[in-house]
Amino acid sequence: MDSQSGGEAPALDGFPLKHSNTLTNRQRGNEVSALPATLDRNSFPMFLSLPALSIHQLAAQGELVQLKEHLKKGENLVNKPDERGFTPLIWAAAFGEIETVRHLLEWGADPHALAKERESALALASMGGYTDIVTLLLDRDVDINTYDWNGGTPLLYAVRGNHVKCVEALLAGGADLTEEADSGYTPMDLAVALGHKKVQQVIESHILKLFRNKRRKK
């Protein structure tokens, strides 16, 4: 869990929106979460020299040259899911590999794909705070309010991670502030409970803007 969330209220101890231990949070200035051993670069420095990496590992590592060659070996590999249902695009988005995400989209990767528990590239990029990837995916008209197995939406994950810029991008893209996780928390509820002041200010400013626009239309 991010160090920024360390002061959250005890009532949130059981809150289901937790960072998956299969993904990294290696974004600017944030703590690195636990990774599966096969993808942990720090613990396994020889990992990158191993032969025959899968397309999913190559996407997660941002190995574009090898990935491109691998994808030439068969049809539909660009959208091939792994055992969790994660496509190469989902892995690249989760690891913050912006250039890999951009190239995969150009090569025909489906930005709307959902994994077995409804994880999406947008939600995992939002969880990691990768605003550039979030913006890229929103430009592809992905479902901004898509929810996963526990009701988590991209906005809820961005709020939980205290990713202010990501929250701004999602709100500007039309993310629904009334969506609740299965625990009953809305994005504002979660921001208040976790003490994320800047995120609260962003949400409050957005609500005020919506209110003003509504009044102008009357």
Side-chain angles (χ1 to χ4, degrees), residues 68-98:
K68 185 176 182 179
E69 291 302 313
H70 200 128
L71 291 175
K72 292 179 180 178
K73 296 179 180 179
E75 295 182 2
N76 300 320
L77 285 178
V78 71
N79 288 310
K80 181 182 178 180
D82 63 10
E83 66 277 6
R84 302 184 189 97
F86 281 35
T87 63
L89 178 64
I90 292 177
W91 274 111
F95 274 72
E97 298 291 348
I98 178 62

Side-chain angles (χ1 to χ4, degrees), residues 1 19 37 49 52 65 68 72-73 77 91 93 108 135 146-148 159-160 200-201 206 213:
M1 186 179 298
H19 294 297
S49 65
V65 175
K68 185 176 182 179
K72 292 179 180 178
K73 296 179 180 179
L77 285 178
W91 274 111
T135 301
T146 186
Y147 60 89
D148 63 12
V159 169
R160 180 173 177 82
Q200 290 178 53
Q201 292 172 1
H206 182 73
N213 289 340

